[in-house]
Amino acid sequence: MTDTTTTTTTTSSTIERPKLQSTGSLHSLFKNVDLFSENDEELYPPLQHGARFAAPIEDSTLSALGMKPDEVKAFQKQRHAYINKDQIYTDEIKIPNKTEMVDYHQLHLVSPIDHSNASRLLSKLVVIKLNGGLGNSMGCKSAKSTIEVAPGVTFLDMAVAHIEQINQDYGVDIPLVIMNSYKTHIETNKVIEKYKTHKVSIKTFQQSMFPKMYKDTLNLVPKPNTPMNPKEWYPPGSGDIFRSLQRSGLLDEFLAAGKEYIFISNVENLGSIIDLQVLNHIHLQKIEFGLEVTSRINTDSTGGILMSYKDKLHLLELSQVKPEKLKIFKDFKLWNTNNIWVNLKSISNLIKEDKLELDWIVNYPLENHKAMVQLETPAGMGIQNFKNTVAIFVPRDRYRPIKSTSQLLVAQSNIFQFDHGQVKLNSKREGQDVPLVKLGEEFTTVSDYEKRFKSIPDLLELDHLTVSGDVYFGSKITLKGTVIIVANHGERVDIPDGVVLENKVLSGTLRILDH
């Protein structure tokens, strides 16, 4: 099912600055710990009784729904694996060994760059941005890539500007490839028309569509010979990139053009820029699959951690682990950035040999009060398929995802500076990380968020901001230290224009009106 195309209480406080977990050296992240007790074998939630005895689905039924042969095969594999889940041998799960890692800050020693060869090396690269989501977490109904991270500047604008600058600086033609889902494909193809005069080649392709299943029986939700209902289908995760790239014809096209590597990243990650040092290491060490990981901090809750399983690097998505078992992984400090470097020839060979096996994650959406099943594969889980793999421990500035309006506020503030598609931490915050910001549910959607800020506050000296309730911000406001603003139920707080709040707690009602 694809279409391949191009009352107010104000108090001063001495609240301490929030302490994040260490983001220091790679060495500090490894400990010798006993991970499991004897009764911790079952990590994943069990299947419902009916699903354990689900009847097979004929390939012809899936074909009748419009699925391509490779989609049918991949879907059947995932469904079978879901029903017949492999036992997890907990004694084989370990914190990765340092020999399986390389520290970003040591790359210049391990793999020195020959700058006279930089252009030739960059000419072998293809950049792929994952653009399947609609930004639902921020109330958006359009492609996440079209969200503005600065006045008039979208995620996609940032990606194009960055690659265009690299192409100009090095005299190369690194193409930007966008993997869309059926939810974003048409819109994105219209948006990229505005880049026709830019010095960057832009290509798009659409990833697969998989049918949802009923959770209790694993029967298909869509029926043959009925109108296509998008709510009955789903994009099967970023791991679909490898097969969909091959099916689109772009994989063979790039190999024929002499391209050797792809750099995959989420379009909403402002830190995922081309890094010549990383590319050089991938090239010199003949790496087939390189996954960038960073130090896990307290706010990292939804995503994946790197582990070693049966002496091979694996990615574990925490959403798949029983809540009571999550404590087991508290000492796993390596967080997946979803910045991935892969050898194109290796992808082609694995697909031809039918050896590309990706673990799945499962989501249970509700439609008409009925629980459905979606089986998805993250691209990072591909690491277990390749021969020469490496995890690259990178600084947090290569992981700047915007998944909420709290993160959007930080990105739009003077904490960051934008330059040719790159996001750089303001030099006045040298040695500090970004502030911790928690906006309440009244700020969840982008539209509500924009209504509540007349202008973006000065956050340069902010450590921690918590906002809860019906709160509105005026213009030219400065926030410093720790600021907590709470509007009680049924009350409203208006922060006046030009106010400086430093280590303050505001609660109750505050509304200043023009006389």
Side-chain angles (χ1 to χ4, degrees):
M1 295 275 308
T2 60
D3 175 24
T4 302
T5 57
T6 45
T7 21
T8 297
T9 303
T10 305
T11 59
S12 294
S13 77
T14 56
I15 302 173
E16 287 187 301
R17 182 174 180 167
K19 293 183 175 63
L20 300 179
Q21 294 181 19
S22 171
T23 58
S25 69
L26 179 60
H27 178 78
S28 67
L29 299 178
F30 292 90
K31 300 177 181 178
N32 292 318
V33 293
D34 293 326
L35 299 176
F36 300 97
S37 65
E38 293 183 0
N39 298 319
D40 278 331
E41 288 85 0
E42 189 61 52
L43 294 177
Y44 301 124
L47 289 177
Q48 289 191 343
H49 179 77
R52 289 180 181 272
F53 303 99
I57 296 174
E58 296 294 329
D59 288 355
S60 58
T61 301
L62 297 170
S63 297
L65 292 174
M67 296 179 70
K68 301 291 190 297
D70 69 306
E71 294 174 316
V72 171
K73 187 174 184 178
F75 176 82
Q76 293 282 39
K77 276 187 175 182
Q78 285 187 12
R79 186 176 184 270
H80 181 268
Y82 177 65
I83 297 171
N84 305 279
K85 290 188 293 187
D86 290 337
Q87 182 178 353
I88 302 296
Y89 297 95
T90 54
D91 58 333
E92 296 280 1
I93 296 178
K94 298 178 176 65
I95 293 174
N97 191 293
K98 282 184 288 185
T99 59
E100 300 172 288
M101 312 283 300
V102 61
D103 194 326
Y104 177 85
H105 296 295
Q106 297 299 313
L107 288 179
H108 68 289
L109 300 175
V110 177
S111 302
I113 294 178
D114 176 3
H115 288 281
S116 64
N117 194 41
S119 293
R120 190 175 72 86
L121 182 57
L122 286 166
S123 69
K124 299 175 182 290
L125 182 64
V126 175
V127 172
I128 303 183
K129 292 292 183 180
L130 305 175
N131 184 46
L134 295 178
N136 292 329
S137 62
M138 292 189 284
C140 297
K141 295 182 179 180
S142 57
K144 187 180 291 185
S145 58
T146 63
I147 295 175
E148 291 190 0
V149 290
V153 180
T154 66
F155 287 118
L156 199 51
D157 293 338
M158 295 282 289
V160 171
H162 169 59
I163 296 174
E164 184 175 33
Q165 188 65 47
I166 295 290
N167 285 341
Q168 290 177 347
D169 290 347
Y170 290 90
V172 293
D173 182 18
I174 300 172
L176 170 61
V177 181
I178 305 168
M179 184 177 84
N180 299 311
S181 70
Y182 68 92
K183 300 177 181 180
T184 62
H185 195 56
I186 294 176
E187 178 190 10
T188 302
N189 280 335
K190 291 179 180 178
V191 169
I192 63 175
E193 290 293 317
K194 70 178 183 178
Y195 303 119
K196 281 186 173 180
T197 60
H198 291 251
K199 294 182 179 178
V200 55
S201 302
I202 303 177
K203 299 177 182 290
T204 68
F205 67 98
Q206 183 179 325
Q207 69 173 121
S208 302
M209 292 171 60
F210 279 9
K212 293 179 181 178
M213 297 176 286
Y214 292 107
K215 184 180 179 183
D216 54 353
T217 63
L218 296 191
N219 290 334
L220 300 177
V221 176
K223 306 299 180 187
N225 304 316
T226 59
M228 189 272 187
N229 181 355
K231 292 185 177 181
E232 297 177 342
W233 297 79
Y234 68 96
S238 60
D240 183 61
I241 186 173
F242 305 114
R243 289 187 304 100
S244 291
L245 185 66
Q246 194 269 345
R247 189 191 324 112
S248 72
L250 290 175
L251 176 57
D252 291 336
E253 177 184 323
F254 289 139
L255 285 170
K259 301 295 185 181
E260 296 183 18
Y261 310 103
I262 55 174
F263 173 42
I264 306 166
S265 64
N266 296 337
V267 71
E268 75 273 14
N269 180 8
L270 296 178
S272 57
I273 60 173
I274 297 169
D275 191 294
L276 182 58
Q277 186 69 75
V278 176
L279 175 61
N280 184 62
H281 180 75
I282 297 294
H283 176 68
L284 291 182
Q285 305 302 322
K286 296 180 170 54
I287 301 296
E288 292 188 6
F289 192 105
L291 178 66
E292 293 186 30
V293 295
T294 193
S295 182
R296 180 182 178 186
I297 62 175
N298 291 330
T299 54
D300 292 328
S301 56
T302 56
I305 56 171
L306 192 69
M307 68 178 186
S308 177
Y309 183 67
K310 294 185 176 181
D311 298 321
K312 280 201 88 170
L313 290 176
H314 278 247
L315 188 66
L316 175 68
E317 289 286 329
L318 295 181
S319 63
Q320 301 311 294
V321 180
K322 290 179 178 179
E324 64 268 23
K325 302 298 183 185
L326 286 174
K327 63 181 184 297
I328 294 170
F329 298 97
K330 63 181 175 60
D331 288 305
F332 286 72
K333 306 298 187 185
L334 300 170
W335 191 255
N336 174 33
T337 67
N338 219 37
N339 297 343
I340 304 168
W341 304 76
V342 197
N343 183 285
L344 280 169
K345 189 65 176 177
S346 298
I347 296 172
S348 180
N349 290 340
L350 282 172
I351 292 175
K352 288 176 182 177
E353 297 168 6
D354 195 23
K355 291 182 178 179
L356 189 61
E357 302 284 347
L358 275 73
D359 290 337
W360 43 263
I361 62 176
V362 59
N363 290 309
Y364 300 111
L366 285 174
E367 292 288 346
N368 298 321
H369 307 291
K370 291 185 178 180
M372 312 288 184
V373 171
Q374 295 181 188
L375 302 177
E376 305 174 17
T377 55
M381 285 184 173
I383 195 169
Q384 66 203 50
N385 290 266
F386 294 81
K387 292 179 181 178
N388 189 17
T389 63
V390 68
I392 306 165
F393 180 68
V394 299
R396 290 286 299 194
D397 61 12
R398 289 193 59 75
Y399 182 60
R400 301 288 190 201
I402 309 298
K403 299 180 180 181
S404 68
T405 53
S406 296
Q407 293 171 329
L408 185 60
L409 175 62
V410 176
Q412 292 181 337
S413 75
N414 55 350
I415 293 290
F416 291 113
Q417 297 172 330
F418 295 83
D419 181 25
H420 294 99
Q422 293 192 48
V423 178
K424 299 179 180 179
L425 196 65
N426 193 308
S427 60
K428 293 181 180 179
R429 283 190 71 95
E430 287 259 332
Q432 303 177 63
D433 203 349
V434 298
L436 179 61
V437 174
K438 296 180 181 180
L439 300 179
E441 61 182 17
E442 293 80 7
F443 293 80
T444 299
T445 69
V446 171
S447 59
D448 285 340
Y449 161 86
E450 290 175 342
K451 291 175 186 175
R452 292 177 178 274
F453 286 98
K454 189 182 292 186
S455 68
I456 301 301
D458 179 340
L459 306 184
L460 203 53
E461 297 181 46
L462 179 70
D463 296 327
H464 179 184
L465 171 66
T466 295
V467 182
S468 177
D470 192 11
V471 179
Y472 287 79
F473 290 81
S475 62
K476 298 181 180 179
I477 291 170
T478 301
L479 305 176
K480 300 181 179 182
T482 295
V483 178
I484 299 173
I485 305 171
V486 179
N488 297 328
H489 181 68
E491 299 174 337
R492 171 170 166 167
V493 171
D494 284 75
I495 309 300
D497 295 350
V499 165
V500 178
L501 298 177
E502 181 172 6
N503 292 326
K504 301 290 184 183
V505 176
L506 306 180
S507 64
T509 302
L510 174 66
R511 195 169 187 186
I512 299 178
L513 304 175
D514 290 336
H515 181 62

